[in-house]
Amino acid sequence: MIDIKGLYKSFGQLQVLRGISLKVSDGEVVCIIGPSGSGKSTLLRSINLLERPTYGEIWIDGKLITPPDPYLHFDVIRASNTYRHMAQERQLPPDSPEDLDIVRRIKEQDLLKPREGRPYLDLMRRIEREHRVDDHYTRRRIGMVFQHFNLFPHMTVMENMVYAPMHVNKLSRQEAEQKALTLLNTVGLMDKKDVYPATLSGGQKQRVAIARALCMEPEYLLFDEPTSALDPEMVKEVLAVIKALVESGISMVLVTHEMGFAREIADRICFLDEGILVEDAPPDVFFSTPKSDRAKAFLEKVL
Amino acid sequence: MQFKFDILIPYLPQFGSALLVTLQVTISALLLGIVLAIPLSLFKILPVKPLNWLAAFYTSIFRGVPLMVQVFMMYFGIPLVTGLRFNAFQAGTLIFAMNSAAYLSESLRGGIRGIDRGQFEAATALGVRYPGMMKDIIFPQAIKSVMPSIVNEFISLLKNTTLIASIGLVDILRVGQSVQTATYRAFEPFFFISVFYYVLVMLLSLLGKLLERQVNKSDRH
């Protein structure tokens, strides 16, 4: 399960994500939709740490993949000097119950400085030690498919596919090639195994990219607008491959502009606008009776 | 005025061995230069400020100091201070290699910068660690754009190695000078040497073109 808690992301002054919380259960297919600039891609890219969240935590199968966020652990906040000062200022007892208003104020003013005293640091370290896993461990278990395919142009299709399994997962070349062949067969590109990516069409490149991601046997698969860079006649072949994956039961998070497709395959639709998760609903509910005005306005434009 | 190219004939064996010296210095300096350029270009792109400064300083030295001075420094100056002893061949090769590294690292950095961010992201997303990513994914692509610079560097090295005559290594130029001293004729030996370098450089340019085509084979449709 992917558990995203209170995710904030800023690029300089620009706040792209403003407090996103979202869970993806095993085997679930979640489509993230929303207007451009709403933070969809940033959210997706945070899940395999291509972006580092400013605040918030991401947990995958009970393992913390981001640094712990003190704001999400009230005992840590309470151990901080800042909290004690503020509690005094506002005449709160030092062991006051969870005062979310104070936490929010600390967060907004970002008063929490690195030097927060031993108990604070010890608690942070404890969380880190007990739950944190390293980036490579995370990325090995999460596959990603990009809008622009990002195949390695100096490697053949086969080399593209076996590189990571051999170098990251330490498979033998034979095992890796065996797996690659099976996957190339499922995406219907067996005959292209020895060509360079430059000779492939966009649709074929994306199918190879999907197969390359699958070669690592990921438990989760992320798609970042997988059909947006494709000529219209090639969209179908890629969607067909993705659809076949849905049936295989792998957990997926897709950022997509293909509304019909999202409606067809998704278990849940997450509608993002201006960095906020505005709606999170099953596709039938979302597309027929969107609750928010923003979602209604968006759907009117795209449908 | 009469040309007497036949006066060169007795010196041909000397020219032959001198050519060998020139090529040895050039090729070993180029290879060593490439090897040094790789970590140097990494120093320039890693997000570690002191390393960036160090690499920038290194490059600026070799840009700012005349090559002849660099050669003298390496052969006469450095041994006095450090106690290291180089023969002329080692000193020449080393200083030319360090010099090439400065220039090549600059174009290698440009080559790395020019690579689509998506390549880094795809490798990262597959769980590939930084050293492997640079070695197998980024450098092989960067080298393509650096290929012309490497050939250019080869050519200018080949020509610049004439400077090693000044520290007493017998290269082609030095043989030419001894022909001049012995026969009092200057045009023939230096004309011969000019043609020699010219042909060599033309051959190298051709080789460069072939190499470029070779490394670009994955781009062909």
Side-chain angles (χ1 to χ4, degrees):
Chain A
M1 185 177 78
I2 302 174
D3 188 0
I4 301 170
K5 294 178 173 176
L7 202 67
Y8 284 77
K9 174 70 185 178
S10 307
F11 294 107
Q13 288 297 308
L14 183 70
Q15 288 195 318
V16 182
L17 298 177
R18 300 187 295 167
I20 303 255
S21 295
L22 176 65
K23 281 183 186 164
V24 181
S25 309
D26 290 343
E28 206 175 14
V29 177
V30 174
C31 282
I32 304 174
I33 64 173
S36 63
S38 57
K40 310 182 293 286
S41 282
T42 308
L43 174 61
L44 190 78
R45 290 157 57 83
S46 301
I47 299 176
N48 68 349
L49 300 170
L50 286 181
E51 306 288 353
R52 310 265 167 195
T54 310
Y55 297 120
E57 291 177 350
I58 301 176
W59 294 74
I60 291 183
D61 296 332
K63 298 286 181 196
L64 181 61
I65 67 165
T66 57
D69 179 355
Y71 303 119
L72 294 175
H73 303 272
F74 198 75
D75 48 340
V76 178
I77 287 279
R78 196 154 41 197
S80 74
N81 292 335
T82 310
Y83 181 85
R84 276 210 300 281
H85 289 320
M86 293 191 84
Q88 259 171 17
E89 221 176 84
R90 302 175 125 215
Q91 318 247 301
L92 296 167
D95 284 332
S96 79
E98 307 196 359
D99 186 338
L100 289 177
D101 187 45
I102 286 205
V103 176
R104 201 172 305 123
R105 240 186 91 187
I106 295 175
K107 192 169 198 160
E108 276 163 8
Q109 301 178 357
D110 198 17
L111 288 172
L112 220 52
K113 297 292 185 304
R115 286 176 213 283
E116 276 297 335
R118 280 222 71 82
Y120 171 85
L121 289 176
D122 286 346
L123 280 170
M124 288 286 278
R125 278 201 205 102
R126 205 199 67 214
I127 296 170
E128 180 116 23
R129 203 172 46 239
E130 284 175 5
H131 304 291
R132 180 88 191 268
V133 287
D134 95 306
D135 299 353
H136 296 279
Y137 173 82
T138 308
R139 288 175 181 138
R140 279 215 307 266
R141 307 176 47 194
I142 303 178
M144 185 159 197
V145 176
F146 298 86
Q147 181 178 357
H148 295 289
F149 332 124
N150 298 345
L151 294 178
F152 306 131
H154 60 300
M155 296 182 179
T156 63
V157 166
M158 181 53 93
E159 287 163 355
N160 259 281
M161 294 186 64
V162 298
Y163 179 79
M166 284 172 61
H167 289 83
V168 180
N169 283 356
K170 308 289 178 204
L171 259 53
S172 72
R173 174 170 289 277
Q174 204 187 355
E175 290 169 305
E177 284 190 354
Q178 196 57 48
K179 191 171 290 170
L181 283 175
T182 316
L183 286 164
L184 274 180
N185 198 27
T186 33
V187 299
L189 290 170
M190 193 67 130
D191 53 329
K192 299 288 185 189
K193 72 182 171 72
D194 293 319
V195 307
Y196 285 97
T199 64
L200 299 176
S201 73
Q204 290 171 330
K205 281 183 195 165
Q206 196 59 300
R207 278 145 68 196
V208 172
I210 294 171
R212 179 176 72 175
L214 289 171
C215 242
M216 291 294 285
E217 301 188 326
E219 290 150 63
Y220 303 91
L221 208 45
L222 312 176
F223 290 87
D224 192 1
E225 304 194 19
T227 58
S228 298
L230 295 177
D231 291 334
E233 73 268 24
M234 292 169 183
V235 171
K236 244 189 190 161
E237 64 187 59
V238 171
L239 293 185
V241 168
I242 300 175
K243 203 174 162 203
L245 281 175
V246 174
E247 279 146 27
S248 80
I250 187 170
S251 316
M252 301 202 298
V253 184
L254 292 95
V255 170
T256 181
H257 292 294
E258 300 282 336
M259 295 303 150
F261 184 65
R263 183 169 193 162
E264 189 184 341
I265 64 154
D267 295 313
R268 273 160 56 209
I269 302 283
C270 290
F271 174 71
L272 240 64
D273 192 26
E274 294 181 352
I276 290 168
L277 182 58
V278 181
E279 290 198 35
D280 181 350
D284 287 336
V285 177
F286 176 79
F287 285 106
S288 54
T289 53
K291 285 195 278 296
S292 64
D293 292 339
R294 287 199 262 186
K296 278 177 201 153
F298 174 75
L299 286 176
E300 257 166 44
K301 265 183 239 160
V302 296
L303 288 182
Chain B
M1 186 70 212
Q2 258 184 320
F3 298 127
K4 290 187 180 168
F5 281 103
D6 53 330
I7 59 153
L8 295 174
I9 292 171
Y11 295 95
L12 283 181
Q14 281 188 49
F15 272 116
S17 52
L19 169 69
L20 220 58
V21 172
T22 298
L23 287 180
Q24 271 174 347
V25 173
T26 306
I27 291 172
S28 21
L30 184 72
L31 293 181
L32 190 58
I34 293 172
V35 170
L36 289 174
I38 291 172
L40 201 56
S41 64
L42 270 179
F43 278 22
K44 289 178 180 179
I45 57 159
L46 283 172
V48 184
K49 278 276 179 284
L51 288 184
N52 301 158
W53 294 330
L54 194 72
F57 179 60
Y58 178 92
T59 304
S60 68
I61 292 176
F62 289 94
R63 276 200 174 142
V65 178
L67 197 50
M68 184 82 137
V69 179
Q70 292 175 29
V71 172
F72 281 7
M73 188 55 152
M74 196 62 166
Y75 187 59
F76 299 116
I78 301 284
L80 286 180
V81 181
T82 61
L84 294 170
R85 296 207 53 84
F86 303 119
N87 60 35
F89 179 83
Q90 291 164 335
T93 305
L94 203 56
I95 196 69
F96 283 122
M98 288 166 74
N99 194 68
S100 296
Y103 285 101
L104 287 176
S105 69
E106 203 57 26
S107 50
L108 200 50
R109 171 177 68 167
I112 294 168
R113 280 275 156 78
I115 288 169
D116 183 31
R117 203 165 54 111
Q119 294 291 310
F120 291 87
E121 289 181 352
T124 307
L126 283 166
V128 182
R129 286 171 194 273
Y130 192 81
M133 168 165 76
M134 292 313 276
K135 180 168 80 69
D136 298 328
I137 315 264
I138 303 304
F139 275 126
Q141 294 185 60
I143 214 84
K144 254 190 230 179
S145 53
V146 177
M147 217 57 208
S149 319
I150 292 183
V151 173
N152 281 340
E153 189 55 35
F154 197 170
I155 289 170
S156 60
L157 257 178
L158 186 71
K159 293 189 289 181
N160 288 339
T161 48
T162 50
L163 287 175
I164 56 174
S166 66
I167 52 171
L169 215 56
V170 184
D171 74 332
I172 301 179
L173 179 63
R174 186 79 171 197
V175 175
Q177 284 170 331
S178 56
V179 174
Q180 184 194 8
T181 322
T183 64
Y184 301 105
R185 299 201 69 97
F187 182 80
E188 287 85 352
F190 293 122
F191 182 75
F192 178 68
I193 291 170
S194 305
V195 171
F196 205 87
Y197 273 107
Y198 181 79
V199 170
L200 222 52
V201 168
M202 288 305 113
L203 282 177
L204 275 179
S205 309
L206 196 69
L207 179 76
K209 288 222 172 67
L210 290 177
L211 265 175
E212 254 175 87
R213 204 176 301 166
Q214 184 62 30
V215 294
N216 283 334
K217 73 175 193 292
S218 59
D219 290 345
R220 271 209 302 271
H221 288 238

